[in-house]
Amino acid sequence: MSQILIDRLLETTIRKGASDLHLHVGRPPTLRLNGHLRELQTKVLEPDDTMSLMKAVTPDRGQQELQEQGTTDFGMAFATADGSAKARFRVSVFRQKGVISLVMRKIPYKLLSFEDIGLPTICRELCRRPRGLFLVTGPTGSGKTTSLATMVNYINENFDRHIVTVEDPVEYYHDHKKSIISQREVGSGNDVPTFAEALRRVLRQDPDVILVGEMRDLETIESAIRAAETGHLVFATLHTTGCQGTINRVIDAFSVDQQEQIRVQLSVTLLAVLSQALLPRSDTEGLVAAYEFLVVTPAIANLIRENKTFRIDSAIQTGRKFGMQLLDDHLLELFRTGKIAAEDAIDKARNAADLAERMGKRLDRPDTDKETGVPANSNRA
């Protein structure tokens, strides 16, 4: 019975175009549709319900990890019996208040193009580079995985490379095309126990392109930078907001006596930072991505090397000819073309007061810079 119910819920998630399915005790199954939570018209879930649903989808090793650590994450494929609905899901099962909850994020089978998701066109040129570090950043649920999958697929279709991905869990599945692609899943009992261990071994696997699903710790960050230094194209993600904040976050992960060396290494290896946010569309159903994009030019490299990252935003503003843009500028463009509502743009803005003024709107709340937490209209160095 539980298997029938979870199949119906997953089919509904796909059919309605939802991004996530939430299963929590005390409320009905809930979908995230266009960024908003919407309850399904079904029964309120009891503890036995979520326990049964968990057992219907979670492999034995995941159930053991849940029992030992209180949480487990894994990827799973789903298809209806007639094949009319199919997708992959990234599943997070966790215990809270002594009961089981599940969150299942849909990962479409279809790999999207640069045009489909609106990636800056210069990303194609950067994907051709033989070496360097390309960071894709943003909060959870901002579409980082989709952007990376699009860029990996572009390389896979157009160049003869060995691409090695390290993910927890593997989300988009890639077939061998012009490239060879090896996808390693991190976790106990999977392909490799940790990101750091995978990156220690990867240089012996003749890679050309390396994708690091998440730079979670200092050892992983060090390994990713080292791989880029030694002649590989490395893609990686961070849960940071804004290009300037991303660079500061990487540098601040190191001890004070190492930071000067890391600034030099980043100035040489960093290719670009793509920071993104997802917003509900106002002109149709669905979501649209807003991007802040930094391309590391000699001038930007000099700012990183000389510890003048506070000037990066200004450099992005003057670097439009290189394909750079600030998040707020892209939000304004999306608003003016009718793709997003003003309130959604202001909510995601780095400087909400400034963006509201440019839109001709009034901001009725205190404003802080999303990257620094400093009042946006204060005087900063």
Side-chain angles (χ1 to χ4, degrees):
M1 187 66 181
S2 297
Q3 189 64 59
I4 295 173
L5 176 58
I6 195 68
D7 287 350
R8 288 176 178 170
L9 290 171
L10 294 177
E11 185 175 352
T12 300
T13 302
I14 297 170
R15 189 179 69 253
K16 289 185 174 291
S19 62
D20 299 84
L21 170 64
H22 285 256
L23 302 171
H24 301 275
V25 172
R27 69 180 294 165
T30 302
L31 302 180
R32 185 175 291 278
L33 275 167
N34 301 326
H36 302 286
L37 295 175
R38 298 287 183 261
E39 291 183 352
L40 295 174
Q41 299 302 309
T42 60
K43 63 168 285 191
V44 173
L45 296 173
E46 302 289 339
D48 287 347
D49 296 323
T50 58
M51 176 65 76
S52 298
L53 292 169
M54 179 276 293
K55 290 181 177 178
V57 298
T58 307
D60 291 343
R61 60 175 175 77
Q63 293 187 40
Q64 182 178 349
E65 185 178 25
L66 176 65
Q67 186 174 2
E68 294 172 353
Q69 301 184 21
T71 186
T72 185
D73 302 295
F74 57 92
M76 59 168 282
F78 169 76
T80 54
D82 61 3
S84 60
K86 61 181 180 178
R88 280 186 57 76
F89 285 86
R90 185 182 70 201
V91 185
S92 180
V93 184
F94 54 97
R95 190 181 298 115
Q96 54 93 20
K97 296 180 182 176
V99 297
I100 298 298
S101 291
L102 300 89
V103 178
M104 307 181 73
R105 166 150 294 183
K106 184 183 69 178
I107 306 162
Y109 270 105
K110 181 184 176 184
L111 290 160
L112 303 176
S113 69
F114 284 77
E115 291 76 20
D116 289 335
I117 61 176
L119 275 175
T121 54
I122 194 174
C123 287
R124 279 194 178 88
E125 173 60 31
L126 294 171
C127 287
R128 296 171 177 265
R129 298 287 184 90
R131 66 189 66 84
L133 179 63
F134 192 135
L135 297 177
V136 179
T137 77
T140 300
S142 60
K144 298 185 296 295
T145 300
T146 300
S147 294
L148 285 170
T150 295
M151 289 188 275
V152 166
N153 186 56
Y154 174 74
I155 296 170
N156 193 14
E157 289 182 334
N158 292 281
F159 308 102
D160 58 332
R161 307 279 192 267
H162 181 205
I163 305 167
V164 180
T165 77
V166 185
E167 304 169 76
D168 180 18
V170 171
E171 299 188 20
Y172 284 88
Y173 271 27
H174 296 268
D175 297 322
H176 304 300
K177 296 177 182 176
K178 196 167 184 179
S179 293
I180 297 171
I181 185 157
S182 305
Q183 295 185 262
R184 307 195 73 194
E185 186 161 285
V186 173
S188 176
N190 293 328
D191 300 319
V192 64
T194 65
F195 281 99
E197 175 65 16
L199 290 174
R200 274 197 298 271
R201 305 289 185 180
V202 71
L203 298 185
R204 300 178 183 177
Q205 295 158 10
D206 188 32
D208 300 292
V209 179
I210 302 166
L211 183 149
V212 185
E214 187 179 342
M215 296 205 300
R216 293 179 177 174
D217 52 48
L218 178 59
E219 187 176 2
T220 304
I221 295 172
E222 283 182 309
S223 298
I225 293 173
R226 189 179 308 116
E229 273 189 313
T230 53
H232 304 86
L233 179 59
V234 180
F235 294 94
T237 71
L238 281 169
H239 289 96
T240 52
T241 303
C243 299
Q244 177 180 313
T246 296
I247 294 171
N248 289 335
R249 166 69 180 85
V250 172
I251 294 169
D252 291 344
F254 294 83
S255 61
V256 174
D257 61 330
Q258 292 179 292
Q259 288 181 3
E260 184 175 352
Q261 176 189 345
I262 292 303
R263 281 193 289 270
V264 172
Q265 288 178 289
L266 274 182
S267 72
V268 174
T269 60
L270 189 63
L271 288 179
V273 181
L274 178 70
S275 184
Q276 59 188 73
L278 276 183
L279 298 90
R281 296 188 69 125
S282 60
D283 57 344
T284 184
E285 293 292 319
L287 301 168
V288 63
Y291 299 106
E292 179 164 298
F293 196 51
L294 167 71
V295 180
V296 179
T297 62
I300 298 287
N302 193 53
L303 293 178
I304 296 171
R305 190 164 45 248
E306 295 186 1
N307 195 20
K308 296 180 179 178
T309 53
F310 60 89
R311 290 171 53 184
I312 282 178
D313 283 358
S314 297
I316 293 174
Q317 284 181 308
T318 58
R320 294 189 70 89
K321 65 182 178 181
F322 301 109
M324 296 191 233
Q325 66 182 9
L326 289 172
L327 178 65
D328 290 7
D329 290 339
H330 195 203
L331 289 170
L332 181 63
E333 178 187 334
L334 292 171
F335 166 72
R336 286 176 172 169
T337 54
K339 293 180 180 177
I340 60 174
E343 56 270 24
D344 291 324
I346 291 169
D347 186 56
K348 295 290 186 181
R350 288 266 310 279
N351 186 332
D354 178 67
L355 184 60
E357 183 178 349
R358 294 164 73 188
M359 289 178 167
K361 305 292 182 180
R362 180 180 174 183
L363 185 69
D364 295 321
R365 56 179 171 80
D367 180 39
T368 58
D369 186 290
K370 294 293 177 62
E371 187 173 301
T372 64
V374 175
N377 59 355
S378 67
N379 293 320
R380 291 178 290 172

